[in-house]
Amino acid sequence: MQKKFGTIRGVFIPSYEALFGAVLFLVLPMLTGAMGFWRMALIVVLSNTVTLATAFSLADCVTNLRQVGPGGMYALARRSFGRAFGGSIGIQLFLAQSVSIGFYVIGFAEPLQEVLSGLPGYRELVASLGLSLLEQKQVIASLLAVVGCVSSLIGADFTSRIQVVIFFILTASIGAILISPLVGTPSSEGGVFANRLNLTGLGGFGFWVAFAAFFPAVTGIDAGVGMSGELKDARKSLPLGTFLAIAVTALGYLGVTYVYSLMDPHLLLRGEGGEVPSLVALFGRNLPAVSLLVLLGILFATGSSALAYFLTAPRTLKTLAEDGILPGFLSFVRKDFVKGGSEPRWATLVTFLIVLGTVWSGDITFVSTVVGICFLVVYGWINVAAFFERMSGNPSFRPTFRGHWAISLYGALLALAVIGLFNVWVGLGVLGSQLLLFWLLLKYRAGGRLEGVWWGLIFSVLQWAFGRMRRIIQGTKNWRPVMGVFAFADRPEQIEQGVRVASRITAFKGLSVFNLLRPDDFEGEIDSGGDTAVIFQRKNPFSALIRGAALAAMPGGLVLNTVLLPLDRRLNLIDLVEELAGEGRHVLLYKHGVPRGEEDERIDVWWKGQENGNLMALLAYIIRETDAERGLPRKRIRLIRVLEERMERVREEAELRSLLDVARLEGEVLVLDPDERPFDEVVEEHSRDASLVLMGMPGQRASGLARVFSLDRREFDRQIARFDELPPVLFVKSAYRVALFDEE
């Protein structure tokens, strides 16, 4: 049975050792000499606020879960952002963790090579092998990587025991630095300490340059968080261990900064050749014991960080594979090659290969910047996750930790700002690569559907917007189609046509709600999707159901102002259209027509007056714009009017042209002489090559909206059938006059 860890061994010690890294010994002395105590202390505090805010966000996310599971920060991101977006974060996190091991073992090799070079026989051995200085360090780093890999393969318990030993050695080294002023001698007597505290520094660095140089020191908390799957009680240990590690290391950094401020600042600046001053050599002047402990501290600070991430990175990779995020050929990393084992040993070997690639890649300065930004991106998203969770107001988000959204927002914004300080273009590249990973995972792993907090977040935004909409008068200039679409479940062609027509009208200019009418004798499967309501009918007429659905209230004070009905004999369309129009709902009937293969890119609107014609003209404009948005040819709109007795051609044509001009609708006007032929024959002659025809419903009176039909049902069906040979036709019944332009 795999051993589970508590707060100290599982979270605090790995985070403590990753936070107290090489920056403490190699970079902080030089920065303190240049910046002075006050500014350097401010940098330490400001840097730690990012980590602290991330810890608050982490506590929010962790204490909201019943069980955290393996994967560390990736697991938290996946729970909040879903599989696709969380997976893109997890992949970047794993790569950053793996490559950072390479940096740490190289950092270990730097001082060790200097020590080894003083041993007898070392220079002869190196010369015989023909190794350059860089290659010597790479060989040493590779050997340390092998040690870390082997210890990780043995198991987490073995590695954790090594970390405990390193913890005491590292603490002793830091303690030696803190007490060194009590036993050291002033620089005037050959020591390193000055007679006064260096408050302002000697210059040489700008504040934000120094901030960016120090900040990597505080990006190690995921070393402990990554052990989430190995903890006895992750909900308790992760927040507690992380907060404890941040508090202790922040105080440690402030204390060491104070000690460095007591040193002679001239000794801490870069040499003439640009070399960084050696803390080991400085203390070696008259404090050999401290110098030895500092050397051990440097070695173990880098080695322990490498060891911590050798535990964390494989577990992140294994969890990614178990969640189906990785390609199929990497599925083996889920397994352990030891029979009955549960350690991520295959994942450890993959991590080891990445480490070796990093060590032998040559100059890793640019890669280190990329990895640092990757960690910042992950930290930023953890803060965003907690912020989104609180903003969403989801009832399921009930963390026992009482954080605040402002803390998470601060952490996210400051992480973004620090990315800019490192390198804006690299930051954009890292974010861009993550979005590319997200798109690929969304398409190939999540079926194109988002998961996680997004629905609740958008719902909260909509809820807020609906509340504001109730206080705003819509007016004529803001009319948009809010459409209820109805079709029978046993008529696939109705469903297809209804979806297509509704999409052309509402995709960019309005909203649509699709309703499937399911007869009692229908036994087929219905895939309703997320935007479709399925209405079951047994005895009551379908028309009554449609009328009830069309008149139902919607959030935000919205109402269905338009209804798209199918041409189906099970509906009493004459009464239904008249009732819906009387209740203020525009009604549309779509007849698919006969595709001719030679249609002109034109929409014909048969005009009989503004009562019904305004709506038809507006729908024609909306359909044209929707098609254009989708990359289809922009269709021409043509208003056609058949003159009646005592109508003047010039006057009617001028009125239509004026209407188009005032309403700013691009279109043509065609005025036809009075014609004794049936109306469908006239339409056939002039609109046979149109892509879509809009006209009033058969039986509709030319003036007034009080009554819709003067035909019985049989005559209505016969009139509709007359247009069977036409292109697609949209029959329109306007419930009221729609304004084509702002008339105020």
Side-chain angles (χ1 to χ4, degrees):
M1 181 177 177
Q2 186 177 6
K3 185 173 181 179
K4 296 290 186 177
F5 302 107
T7 301
I8 300 300
R9 281 185 62 184
V11 182
F12 172 75
I13 289 180
S15 297
Y16 174 95
E17 293 178 356
L19 288 168
F20 273 147
V23 171
L24 177 74
F25 302 97
L26 302 179
V27 178
L28 185 57
M30 178 182 60
L31 292 178
T32 305
M35 302 299 292
F37 176 73
W38 291 121
R39 287 192 292 173
M40 200 61 230
L42 179 60
I43 288 174
V44 171
V45 173
L46 185 60
S47 299
N48 273 278
T49 60
V50 181
T51 310
L52 187 62
T54 306
F56 272 91
S57 298
L58 183 146
D60 276 352
C61 295
V62 167
T63 60
N64 184 59
L65 301 175
R66 185 175 62 87
Q67 184 176 359
V68 179
M73 288 192 174
Y74 156 64
L76 301 180
R78 184 192 66 230
R79 298 291 183 90
S80 290
F81 292 127
R83 187 181 183 189
F85 202 88
S88 67
I89 296 173
I91 292 174
Q92 279 197 342
L93 176 62
F94 163 71
L95 292 176
Q97 289 170 338
S98 301
V99 175
S100 65
I101 298 174
F103 300 153
Y104 288 128
V105 294
I106 291 174
F108 177 90
E110 291 275 355
L112 186 58
Q113 188 275 334
E114 294 181 8
V115 173
L116 293 176
S117 63
L119 298 178
Y122 177 81
R123 295 183 184 274
E124 292 76 8
L125 176 63
V126 169
S128 65
L129 295 174
L131 297 178
S132 66
L133 179 61
L134 175 61
E135 289 171 338
Q136 294 175 47
K137 296 176 181 178
Q138 289 173 327
V139 170
I140 297 171
S142 298
L143 292 175
L144 178 62
V146 171
V147 173
C149 179
V150 171
S151 64
S152 183
L153 289 174
I154 293 174
D157 183 51
F158 175 76
T159 306
S160 178
R161 292 178 186 275
I162 296 177
Q163 286 182 316
V164 172
V165 175
I166 294 175
F167 168 76
F168 286 110
I169 296 175
L170 184 59
T171 302
S173 176
I174 296 170
I177 295 175
L178 292 176
I179 66 171
S180 62
L182 301 177
V183 295
T185 56
S187 57
S188 59
E189 300 178 11
V192 295
F193 294 100
N195 295 322
R196 61 185 179 85
L197 184 66
N198 175 20
L199 294 176
T200 58
L202 298 180
F205 290 100
F207 181 87
W208 295 112
V209 173
F211 179 89
F214 174 79
F215 188 81
V218 300
T219 59
I221 60 172
D222 60 304
V225 178
M227 297 296 291
S228 59
E230 319 293 328
L231 302 175
K232 297 176 183 177
D233 186 355
R235 296 179 72 252
K236 173 186 175 183
S237 294
L238 285 177
L240 180 58
T242 302
F243 278 118
L244 185 60
I246 293 172
V248 171
T249 55
L251 291 175
Y253 271 113
L254 287 173
V256 171
T257 300
Y258 178 77
V259 172
Y260 292 157
S261 299
L262 293 173
M263 294 182 178
D264 186 343
H266 297 89
L267 299 176
L268 300 178
L269 298 183
R270 288 181 182 269
E272 294 181 0
E275 66 275 6
V276 177
S278 171
L279 203 60
V280 175
L282 290 176
F283 280 119
R285 292 184 174 192
N286 59 2
L287 294 174
V290 175
S291 177
L292 176 60
L293 286 174
V294 168
L295 174 61
L296 292 176
I298 294 172
L299 294 175
F300 284 106
T302 53
S304 64
S305 298
L307 207 57
Y309 281 116
F310 249 125
L311 283 179
T312 302
R315 282 159 175 79
T316 303
L317 181 63
K318 179 183 178 183
T319 308
L320 285 167
E322 289 174 341
D323 290 345
I325 300 299
L326 301 180
F329 70 88
L330 289 175
S331 60
F332 71 93
V333 299
R334 297 178 298 179
K335 304 174 183 178
D336 187 346
F337 52 69
V338 174
K339 186 176 181 180
S342 59
E343 293 283 342
R345 291 187 169 91
W346 280 116
T348 300
L349 293 179
V350 172
T351 302
F352 175 70
L353 294 177
I354 296 175
V355 173
L356 284 185
T358 304
V359 169
W360 291 93
S361 62
D363 184 8
I364 59 173
T365 304
F366 176 75
V367 182
S368 66
T369 301
V370 175
V371 171
I373 289 176
C374 284
F375 276 121
L376 276 171
V377 168
V378 174
Y379 281 24
W381 282 123
I382 292 298
N383 283 293
V384 171
F387 174 72
F388 280 179
E389 291 282 11
R390 290 203 175 275
M391 289 296 99
S392 71
N394 286 331
S396 62
F397 187 69
R398 301 186 302 275
T400 57
F401 184 84
R402 302 298 179 184
H404 194 277
W405 62 264
I407 298 175
S408 300
L409 181 60
Y410 168 81
L413 294 177
L414 195 54
L416 184 64
V418 175
I419 290 173
L421 289 177
F422 274 106
N423 191 308
V424 174
W425 298 111
V426 173
L428 291 175
V430 170
L431 288 171
S433 65
Q434 189 216 326
L435 292 177
L436 177 60
L437 284 171
F438 163 61
W439 178 79
L440 292 172
L441 292 174
L442 184 66
K443 183 177 181 180
Y444 296 107
R445 290 289 186 267
R449 297 177 70 90
L450 281 172
E451 306 166 305
V453 73
W454 305 106
W455 195 95
L457 180 68
I458 294 174
F459 183 89
S460 293
V461 173
L462 291 176
Q463 187 180 41
W464 175 86
F466 284 149
R468 299 305 181 274
M469 285 176 63
R470 293 190 184 98
R471 306 174 188 176
I472 302 173
I473 299 174
Q474 182 178 7
T476 57
K477 68 184 301 179
N478 294 317
W479 187 89
R480 289 171 177 264
V482 183
M483 180 180 294
V485 187
F486 296 87
F488 282 89
D490 57 352
R491 296 290 187 270
E493 71 283 356
Q494 284 184 10
I495 300 173
E496 179 184 354
Q497 293 168 13
V499 169
R500 183 170 60 252
V501 174
S503 176
R504 294 180 74 185
I505 295 175
T506 64
F508 296 99
K509 303 295 182 181
L511 300 171
S512 63
V513 180
F514 204 88
N515 301 273
L516 279 181
L517 306 168
R518 177 172 179 170
D520 190 38
D521 57 353
F522 178 68
E523 298 180 355
E525 294 292 330
I526 298 178
D527 182 10
S528 62
D531 301 321
T532 304
V534 180
I535 302 178
F536 294 88
Q537 163 62 10
R538 298 192 181 278
K539 296 181 180 180
N540 295 327
F542 280 110
S543 298
L545 286 176
I546 291 175
R547 183 177 181 276
L551 300 180
M554 296 176 65
L558 292 175
V559 295
L560 295 179
N561 56 30
T562 308
V563 179
L564 178 63
L565 299 175
L567 288 167
D568 195 292
R569 294 186 62 83
R570 285 170 286 189
L571 298 178
N572 184 354
L573 287 173
I574 293 178
D575 292 343
L576 182 58
V577 173
E578 188 169 358
E579 290 174 358
L580 290 174
E583 296 287 351
R585 272 54 172 179
H586 307 304
V587 184
L588 311 179
L589 300 177
Y590 178 72
K591 188 174 185 62
H592 185 54
V594 180
R596 298 176 180 271
E598 53 186 21
E599 292 88 356
D600 188 11
E601 298 295 341
R602 189 182 76 244
I603 300 175
D604 280 353
V605 177
W606 287 82
W607 184 275
K608 287 190 176 181
Q610 290 193 17
E611 289 82 358
N612 206 50
N614 280 12
L615 177 61
M616 291 193 294
L618 191 57
L619 291 175
Y621 165 77
I622 291 173
I623 292 172
R624 182 187 70 175
E625 294 303 305
T626 298
D627 289 349
E629 288 276 357
R630 292 173 171 171
L632 300 174
R634 184 179 293 272
K635 296 174 175 58
R636 297 179 292 116
I637 297 175
R638 183 169 68 168
L639 298 186
I640 306 175
R641 176 144 201 179
V642 180
L643 294 176
E644 299 178 8
E645 296 295 336
R646 296 183 299 277
M647 282 186 177
E648 298 180 7
R649 169 185 290 275
V650 175
R651 178 182 175 183
E652 295 297 328
E653 185 172 348
E655 286 184 358
L656 288 179
R657 292 190 184 280
S658 175
L659 179 70
L660 290 174
D661 181 60
V662 173
R664 299 177 301 282
L665 293 176
E666 299 175 5
E668 307 168 7
V669 172
L670 176 61
V671 176
L672 304 177
D673 292 328
D675 200 315
E676 297 297 329
R677 292 179 299 169
F679 182 63
D680 59 282
E681 294 183 12
V682 178
V683 176
E684 165 72 20
E685 177 183 349
H686 294 279
S687 295
R688 69 179 67 183
D689 59 344
S691 61
L692 179 65
V693 179
L694 282 81
M695 66 176 68
M697 291 187 189
Q700 182 178 345
R701 293 181 177 178
S703 61
L705 299 172
R707 183 171 176 78
V708 181
F709 298 107
S710 58
L711 304 175
D712 59 21
R713 178 168 181 170
R714 180 176 298 178
E715 179 64 15
F716 176 77
D717 293 339
R718 189 177 67 84
Q719 292 279 11
I720 291 288
R722 289 186 174 187
F723 300 97
D724 286 347
E725 301 302 319
L726 280 175
V729 178
L730 194 61
F731 297 100
V732 178
K733 171 63 196 112
S734 178
Y736 50 86
R737 177 181 168 182
V738 176
L740 283 177
F741 48 87
D742 191 353
E743 297 176 336
E744 296 180 0

